[in-house]
Amino acid sequence: MAKKSKIAANDRRREVVARYAERRAELKRVIASPATGAQERADAQRELRRQPRDASATRVRNRDSVDGRPRGHLRAFGLSRVSMRRHAHAGHLPGVRKSSW
């Protein structure tokens, strides 16, 4: 089980990312456009740098939806490898079977 403070901090980051997502996408579009002038591009880069660090989506950590474990996250299930194995063996994940050969 992850610390409650780490889970809460990650949730705050998700909110900040959602709040700034539209403006960040617009600024990145301006920066990447070849039709943009040098001064306009510099202004967009400056504004992008002024945004909070947590506004970047790469700062959000994928965590287990059950216990918040940060490592071994399986995106298809939203669980860590440990929780996924426990739930699969208990039969809580439809369509998942234990294989043997």
Side-chain angles (χ1 to χ4, degrees), residues 2-3 7 9 15 22 26 29 42 61 63 65 67-70 75 78-79 81-83 87 90 93-95 98:
K3 289 172 54 173
I7 295 171
E15 292 170 8
E22 190 175 328
E26 183 181 328
R29 214 176 0 260
R61 181 79 181 188
R63 290 184 170 269
S65 59
D67 63 3
R69 188 176 200 279
R75 193 179 295 254
L79 300 171
R81 60 183 177 78
V82 178
S83 292
H87 286 285
L93 301 176
K98 185 173 187 296

Side-chain angles (χ1 to χ4, degrees), residues 2-15 63:
K3 289 172 54 173
K4 300 286 186 192
S5 60
K6 291 289 188 179
I7 295 171
N10 202 45
D11 290 341
R12 281 193 304 274
R13 278 193 196 103
R14 284 187 194 281
E15 292 170 8
R63 290 184 170 269

